[in-house]
Each structure stands twice: as structure tokens, then as C-alpha cells.
């Protein structure tokens, strides 16, 4: 569905991404992990068109999108929930969510239909509809941020650190929402510092370091990789102690 091949990109002073290869199959959840500054958010930015790659190929369902504007990419069904809080604090929850439907604002019936879908999937949009977004807790805001990007019924949703600053309960709420969206057919690509949560939620894992992909594989294979376990998971394997690893395909070292 989504494919990056040899993507090089930066912010002016040299390349941050140094030849990134990445694939997301339809209806999978792929989680990118890696240390601060590895280029994880930058990967999401080149996909959503906020940053242009200087070389390499980005395609969605076989169509090149690396040279498209953020607006065109949005129209192709790719939406991003950024890492930092992005709601308008002085606007109500409902107004914030409606902003997500800006591209379809002229089609009132469709707007209404999408809003109904969002209200059903993300109940806080109904229960706190007229409260200012600025008065919500961090976890509640995260739910509304995701709800807002659902207004365009995305095929691919990009989430940068959805767990940031959330308590365990909000965390499981956001994780549950991501799972539901995925089950409803949305492909998910997320970046997560909380490696255990991210790889627990994901079907596939990608480990980045220094602007390159170091390892890819099924989420369980990446979790069970001894080096990943010692670097990010405090030594022990992240798999549940109950059974042997799921026996999925072995993680393959990727082009470094
Ligand atoms: N707007 C920008 N202008 C210049 N350099 C930037 C910009 N945004 C990021 N960078 C640089 O690009 C590199 C990768 O940043 P990026 O935000 O992609 O990392 P990350 O893996 O998402 O890190 P974190 O885990 O801290 O969010 C860093 O060295 C950073 O300083
Ligand atoms: Mg980041």
C-alpha cells in the first residue's frame, strides 16, 4: 500500500534520512521505534508531504506521491496526527473535529455522515462536544486529535507518539481506538517511544537509528530481537512470559 525506497531527506543542513526503505501492507499496524533524533518523525513528515525528499521514491498503491503537496496527499487518504498537541484550545471539541472535515466542507451530507461515524467511534467527541479543547486532559485531547483526522475517512493514518504524556488508562483508551480503526480497515503507521506498547499494538516493527532503518520484521520478531530487547526493553524479551515466541518470520537486517 505504502512504499518508501531509498528516501533521502533533510532540513537544509545535510540529510536526516539517509536512504530509508519501508513498506506498509494494507490493514497492518506498523510501529517505528528508535532513539531520539533517529528520524522517526521525519519519516512521517516526508510521507505526509510536509517535507520533500531529495531523492528516493514514495508511493501509495503504486502511485508516486513523493512530489505531491500535503493537500494532494491528504486527498489521497493519508492523514497525520502530529507529535505535539495540535488542537485549537479556544475552540470547542466539536469545532475542532469539524475542522478535520475542511476538505469536504461543501458536501454537507457527507460532513454529517462522517461526523456521525466519528461520534460513534470516539464517544468523547459527543460527551464533551461544547467544551473548549483547551480544557481537556492530555489523553482526552489525544482522542480528539485522532477523531479529527477521521473526518476524512483516511486509508492510511500516521500517528506520531500517540502515547506521549498519557496515564495507563488513557493509554489503553488510545490503543483501543487505534485497534478499532485498524479493524475497520484503516492502515496505521505509528511512531512510539513506548516500545512495549507500540510493538504490542503493531503487526510489524521497524527500528530506526541515525536516519536509517536498522531492522524490520513482524512486531513479535522485532520485540524478540536480543539487541532490541536490551536496548529498549530493559534486558528481558518483551513477549509475554506465557508462551514461546509466535514463530513469525525472522526479523531481517535491513540495508545498513
Ligand atoms: N524542523 C527542523 N529543522 C531542522 N532540523 C530538524 C527539524 N526537525 C528535526 N530536525 C532534525 O532531524 C533529526 C531527526 O529528527 P526527528 O524529529 O525526525 O527525530 P525523531 O526520531 O522523531 O526523534 P524524537 O524521538 O525525539 O521525536 C534531528 O537531528 C533533528 O534535530
Ligand atoms: Mg519524533
Amino acid at each position: 500500500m505504502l512504499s518508501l525506497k531509498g528516501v533521502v531527506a533533510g532540513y537544509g543542513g545535510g540529510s536526516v534520512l539517509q536512504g530509508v526503505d519501508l513498506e506498509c501492507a494494507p490493514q497492518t499496524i506498523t510501529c517505528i521505534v528508535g532513539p531520539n533524533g533517529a528520524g522517526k518523525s521525519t519519516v512521517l513528515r516526508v510521507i505526509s508531504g510536509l517535507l520533500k525528499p531529495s531523492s528516493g521514491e514514495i508511493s501509495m498503491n503504486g502511485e508516486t506521491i513523493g512530489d505531491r503537496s500535503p493537500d494532494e496527499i491528504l486527498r489521497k487518504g493519508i492523514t497525520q496526527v502530529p507529535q505535539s498537541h495540535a488542537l485549537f484550545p479556544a475552540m470547542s471539541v466539536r469545532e475542532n473535529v469539524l475542522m478535520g472535515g475542511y476538505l469536504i466542507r461543501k458536501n454537507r451530507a457527507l460532513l454529517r455522515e462522517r461526523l456521525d461515524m466519528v461520534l460513534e467511534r470516539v464517544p468523547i467527541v459527543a460527551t464533551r462536544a461544547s467544551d473548549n479543547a483547551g480544557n481537556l486532559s492530555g489523553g482526552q485531547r489525544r482522542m480528539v486529535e485522532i477523531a479529527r483526522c477521521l473526518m476524512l475517512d483516511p486509508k492510511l493514518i500516521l500517528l506520531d507518539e500517540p502515547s506521549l504524556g498519557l496515564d495507563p488508562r488513557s493509554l489503553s483508551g488510545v490503543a483501543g481506538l487505534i485497534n478499532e480503526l485498524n479493524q475497520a480497515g484503516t492502515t496505521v503507521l505509528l511512531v512510539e517511544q513506548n516500545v512495549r506498547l507500540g510493538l504490542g499494538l503493531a503487526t510489524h516493527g521497524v527500528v530506526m537509528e541515525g536516519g536509517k532503518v536498522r531492522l524490520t520484521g513482524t512486531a513479535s520478531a522485532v520485540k524478540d530481537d536480543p539487541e532490541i530487547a536490551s536496548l529498549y526493553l530493559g534486558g528481558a524479551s518483551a513477549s509475554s512470559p506465557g508462551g514461546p515466541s509466535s514463530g513469525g518470520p525472522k526479523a531481517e537486517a535491513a540495508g545498513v
Side-chain angles (χ1 to χ4, degrees):
M1 177 174 201
L2 176 78
S3 160
L4 277 72
K5 289 200 177 92
V7 170
V8 176
Y11 298 92
S15 298
V16 171
L17 303 183
Q18 302 181 9
V20 169
D21 297 325
L22 186 79
E23 298 277 340
C24 294
Q27 296 189 25
T28 51
I29 303 181
T30 302
C31 178
I32 306 178
V33 300
N36 294 133
K40 305 180 299 294
S41 297
T42 305
V43 166
L44 298 192
R45 267 182 230 128
V46 291
I47 297 169
S48 58
L50 296 173
L51 186 67
K52 293 283 157 245
S54 56
S55 65
E57 169 101 5
I58 306 175
S59 62
M60 172 84 166
N61 296 326
E63 188 184 349
T64 299
I65 57 165
D67 54 351
R68 300 298 167 86
S69 69
D71 189 62
E72 287 173 302
I73 290 171
L74 202 57
R75 287 175 199 274
K76 299 211 174 292
I78 303 178
T79 65
Q80 180 173 3
V81 180
Q83 182 170 350
S84 55
H85 292 301
L87 296 180
F88 298 96
M91 286 168 66
S92 73
V93 166
R94 186 190 160 88
E95 286 164 340
N96 267 283
V97 169
L98 283 172
M99 294 281 285
Y102 184 76
L103 285 180
I104 54 163
R105 68 192 178 282
K106 288 182 183 137
N107 187 341
R108 298 230 138 233
L110 184 61
L111 201 62
R112 181 72 241 175
E113 188 185 302
R114 292 275 173 80
L115 185 62
D116 286 344
M117 179 269 285
V118 170
L119 287 167
E120 194 180 308
R121 284 210 190 137
V122 194
I124 192 167
V125 177
T127 55
R128 303 291 296 269
S130 46
D131 287 345
N132 278 354
N135 295 340
L136 300 181
S137 77
Q140 292 166 338
R141 252 179 263 159
R142 220 63 185 127
M143 298 290 244
V144 175
E145 284 166 357
I146 297 173
R148 180 170 64 177
C149 89
L150 296 183
M151 287 297 288
L152 293 178
D153 195 19
K155 297 190 186 80
L156 172 67
I157 179 165
L158 309 172
L159 293 154
D160 202 343
E161 312 251 4
S163 80
L164 203 70
L166 302 190
D167 69 31
R169 189 151 163 241
S170 307
L171 214 66
S172 69
V174 169
L177 178 57
I178 294 170
N179 251 327
E180 273 172 39
L181 295 178
N182 179 247
Q183 260 141 43
T186 315
T187 306
V188 180
L189 176 61
L190 74 151
V191 167
E192 203 30 88
Q193 286 290 345
N194 185 335
V195 172
R196 209 176 287 270
L197 173 95
L199 291 177
L201 191 63
T203 55
H204 294 77
V206 173
V207 181
M208 281 192 71
E209 232 174 69
K212 291 181 181 170
V213 172
R214 257 197 65 192
L215 188 77
T216 61
T218 63
S220 59
V222 171
K223 261 188 300 192
D224 288 341
D225 183 89
E227 207 181 331
I228 300 311
S230 72
L231 277 175
Y232 301 112
L233 299 166
S237 159
S239 289
S240 58
S245 86
S246 66
K250 265 218 144 327
E252 66 222 37
V256 179

